[in-house]
Amino acid sequence: MASGALADDIRQKLGELSPAERKVARVLLAGYPAAGFETVAVLAERAAVSAPTVIRFVNRLGYRGFPDFQAALRDELDARNASPLSLYETTGFGRGEPATGGDDADSALLRHGSEVFTGALTATLAELPPHDFEHAVRLLADRKRRVTLVGGRFTHLLAQYLGLHLMQLRDDVRFLPDRDVERTAVLAALSRRDVLVVFDYRRYEADATTLAALVQEHGGKVVLFTDTWLSPAAPHAEVVLPSRVAAPSPYDSLVPTLAVLETVVAGVITALGDDARRRMQHGEDIARRAGLY
């Protein structure tokens, strides 16, 4: 199985499944991940199919049997809940071992970093669903829509990075305020024209899911940047753009996500065409007159 959320693997294989197997898939997706820990009999009953159908379904996903599928699900949940501290304890960092095993620690670490980052970046861009990427670009380039961005403990930096680029290319781009009164005012004014861009990575933040659900309830669209295990906000998102987070340290890397962001910005510039150039030129002119540059 490829690394990443089992739910994502199930969604990608929906078109290959038989009608009965698709019933099992929908039950699992509707109650993910808890539904995956039901017995075969209970899952078959809930999907109104036979027990052998459930077994055929997990075989279709690449598992030898249902216990194998549940073991993979448990591993996924452990990975989703991993923290820098737990990763520190379960890697060579926590045992005082060199991360690379090389004679020259500095050069070995550079080689290791190059391998890890190159692999994560290559895999992220290769696995990015083209339809979701193109849909994200369309939403962010649609000047009839209002774009609001929000991140988490570390990922607020990525929200700011993308938002500052978008502000140079189009109107109606803002960051979700931190202060309660301002944030409430923004959320109370949500409508069908809103696009919320959310950054949420493992040790997921509950408010990301709440915000995504609110936007969806008001008819708006959610663009979610997350890891390969998928944020709990994913069911509320119109677009999900997952990235690998492998790093040479116990901390998750945001390097692949940054590459995705810059590719999205390139897509928005292309979609806006000459309007993007005119907006950039106008911004330069205003900045000069205001003495900002």
Side-chain angles (χ1 to χ4, degrees):
M1 294 293 298
S3 68
L6 295 182
D8 199 37
D9 292 330
I10 293 170
R11 289 188 192 96
Q12 291 178 5
K13 286 185 170 60
L14 280 174
E16 305 171 14
L17 303 176
S18 70
E21 291 165 351
R22 277 197 293 274
K23 291 181 180 179
V24 180
R26 292 192 184 102
V27 168
L28 281 170
L29 291 174
Y32 191 84
F37 293 110
E38 300 281 11
T39 65
V40 170
V42 169
L43 191 56
E45 182 180 357
R46 290 180 59 191
V49 299
S50 66
T53 298
V54 175
I55 303 303
R56 284 196 299 272
F57 167 76
V58 296
N59 291 157
R60 182 91 70 162
L61 292 179
Y63 297 100
R64 293 187 299 274
F66 204 66
D68 190 30
F69 169 79
Q70 290 185 322
L73 185 56
R74 279 191 292 272
D75 289 343
E76 177 189 304
L77 293 181
D78 287 342
R80 285 182 65 171
N81 295 325
S83 68
L85 179 60
S86 67
L87 292 172
Y88 182 95
E89 297 294 344
T90 56
T91 63
F93 288 96
R95 296 186 295 273
E97 300 172 4
T100 60
D103 296 328
D104 182 339
D106 291 336
S107 61
L109 186 56
L110 287 173
R111 288 194 301 272
H112 180 58
S114 175
E115 293 170 0
V116 171
F117 288 130
T118 300
L121 177 57
T122 300
T124 292
L125 294 176
E127 295 166 359
L128 210 60
H131 175 269
D132 279 353
F133 174 81
E134 292 161 8
H135 195 15
V137 168
R138 284 196 302 271
L139 289 171
L140 297 177
D142 186 349
R143 287 169 296 169
K144 295 179 181 178
R145 294 185 180 275
R146 177 172 53 196
V147 178
T148 305
L149 300 99
V150 62
R153 288 178 295 270
F154 287 91
T155 55
H156 70 279
L157 298 171
L158 295 177
Q160 291 175 349
Y161 187 81
L162 177 58
L164 292 175
H165 280 79
L166 293 177
M167 287 176 183
Q168 293 184 317
L169 302 174
R170 50 158 295 165
D171 293 323
D172 253 353
V173 177
R174 61 188 178 176
F175 301 108
L176 189 67
D178 291 326
R179 287 190 289 243
D180 291 344
V181 173
E182 293 173 286
R183 179 171 286 214
T184 300
V186 168
L187 297 177
L190 289 172
S191 71
R192 296 177 63 84
R193 67 183 287 259
D194 282 287
V195 175
L196 179 69
V197 181
V198 180
F199 292 83
D200 194 33
Y201 291 70
R202 66 176 168 184
R203 291 225 287 175
Y204 310 102
E205 299 179 52
D207 66 336
T209 301
T210 302
L211 292 169
L214 277 171
V215 171
Q216 186 185 44
E217 288 170 14
H218 286 80
K221 307 296 184 183
V222 176
V223 175
L224 174 66
F225 290 87
T226 186
D227 50 41
T228 53
W229 297 282
L230 302 186
S231 158
H236 305 292
E238 180 82 5
V239 177
V240 178
L241 298 176
S243 297
R244 299 290 186 104
V245 295
S249 78
Y251 289 94
D252 286 345
S253 171
L254 298 179
V255 169
T257 302
L258 187 60
V260 174
L261 292 185
E262 296 199 345
T263 308
V264 167
V265 168
V268 172
I269 292 173
T270 300
L272 290 173
D274 200 48
D275 287 342
R277 186 198 62 78
R278 284 194 292 269
R279 168 77 182 192
M280 293 167 72
Q281 182 64 62
H282 181 63
E284 292 279 341
D285 293 343
I286 292 297
R288 287 196 199 93
R289 291 181 61 187
L292 301 176
Y293 290 168

